[in-house]
Amino acid sequence: MSDTAFIKYKDQSYELPVVEGNENEKAIDISKLRGESGLITIDPGFKNTGSTRSAITFLDGEKGILRYRGYSIEDLAEKSSFIEVSYLLIYGELPTADQLKIYKDEITKHTLVHEDIKKILEGFPSNAHPMGVLSSLVTSLTAFYPKSLDPNRSSEAVDKSIIRILAKMPTFAAWAFKNEAGHPVNYPDNKLDYCSNFLKMMFSLPTEDYEVDPVVANALDKLLILHADHEQNCSTSTVRIVGSSQASMYVSISAGINALWGPLHGGANQAVIEMLEAIRKDGGDTKKWMAKAKDKNDPFRLMGFGHRVYKNFDPRAKIIKKAADDVLEKLGVNDPILDIAKGLEEEALRDQYFVERKLYPNVDFYSGIIYRALGIPVDMFTVMFAIGRLPGWIAQWKEMRENNEPIGRPRQVYTGHTQRPYPEINKR
Ligand code: CMC
């Protein structure tokens, strides 16, 4: 028998069903509350509101658990590849060897983009932030594949759209960088795997040979796995809510890219490096910056710290911290900001302010240090996050469509003027 909860308001009591997830999480279903009582619930930032039922990703912020389709992030990061993980997220199961071959071949076949994309790219000034360019290029796919605008197509047609965007995203990302660098774009090399192909498009120049370093390609692959999905975060919720209006997959994902851009979300990886650089230039006095982060009159926050759901540790940050040490050692990079980062982390973990508020390093605290060691420029960091998050956005959009979810449309508590007479202009 399912549980029930009661809301008592004035002299009436309202019975509300309690739904339970597969990991015993419980939620009060308030969908009929307003009809019965006239009451809505209010929860700015959706801090305690479940927006959907989802079978894709489970996380327990108190215990520091993250699983995609039941598999732990630790196992996936160690044993899987980004392409396999993308299949797992989107289709629910790890692929068999045959399924993986077909899937990889299909993605490889679609890496090239329409030549006219270059004309769109040329329209951007070279100081355009690559995140803005990326989201525009993703939206432009609707012009090249107009049938994709209809989200009610057959599953085969949706699969084709999925393959196309997975295949073209690295090309778009590398071209967004080339636009910024003012260099000619490189075409995909279909002899290479997903990450190696991206790296070659990013770094190869007509003037010199470029060989992809497998250490760099493997590190990138792991980072993408760690970013691949994170249940109903800001950008994913954006993708689902845009898609709930029956907007197409490409534009829903483009909206997700824009939501990711902000420094409180995916943009934090860029902000972390900028912060660590600023601390280094300022003489490396971490205590001074800790004090700024704690000062309520100072808007500064310790970037890469804190998380809406992780209140113990972020399991991705643990994996990334170790990967940062390995990658820097393998590549022989000695980055002074790694020491500043470790110093800050140690201090924060001992500091009453951070301990009380359960603020721990998140995925973005060390990822920027690895990206920097791999030679990725700072304003491309969030683009890397977007490539990683793409399978999650696709999986969540697809699930939302398959569940036939209603249009997302929250309510509000109005705090403006009540009705007032319209004044003539000389009386305002
Ligand atoms: N530095 C200093 N104080 C902080 C920080 C921080 N990084 N994060 C939270 N706090 C304080 C905040 O001021 C508040 O204090 P008080 O209770 O005294 O008012 C308390 O901790 C709770 O913070 P909140 O803003 O209510 O928490 P939230 O769940 O709304 O915000 C967050 C989560 C990630 C936006 C926030 O921790 C933050 O701004 N962190 C820095 C940006 C960052 O690293 N973002 C990347 C998140 S991980 C990548 C991703 O998945 O997007």
Side-chain angles (χ1 to χ4, degrees), residues 302-321:
L302 207 54
M303 298 314 288
F305 262 77
H307 201 276
R308 173 59 62 77
V309 285
Y310 291 122
K311 300 297 175 197
N312 180 334
F313 65 93
D314 180 339
R316 303 167 301 170
K318 266 198 173 173
I319 301 171
I320 287 193
K321 186 179 178 187

Side-chain angles (χ1 to χ4, degrees), residues 47 264-265 296 301-302 304-305 308 353 357 362 364:
K47 292 194 175 196
L264 298 191
H265 191 12
K296 293 290 170 201
R301 281 187 164 199
L302 207 54
F305 262 77
R308 173 59 62 77
Y353 174 98
R357 290 169 180 76
N362 58 50
D364 286 328

Side-chain angles (χ1 to χ4, degrees), residues 212-234:
V212 179
D213 181 339
V215 172
V216 174
N218 288 339
L220 181 57
D221 200 77
K222 192 184 285 230
L223 281 173
L224 298 185
I225 293 175
L226 295 176
H227 285 92
D229 194 46
H230 212 232
E231 51 120 296
Q232 307 313 315
N233 57 82
C234 174

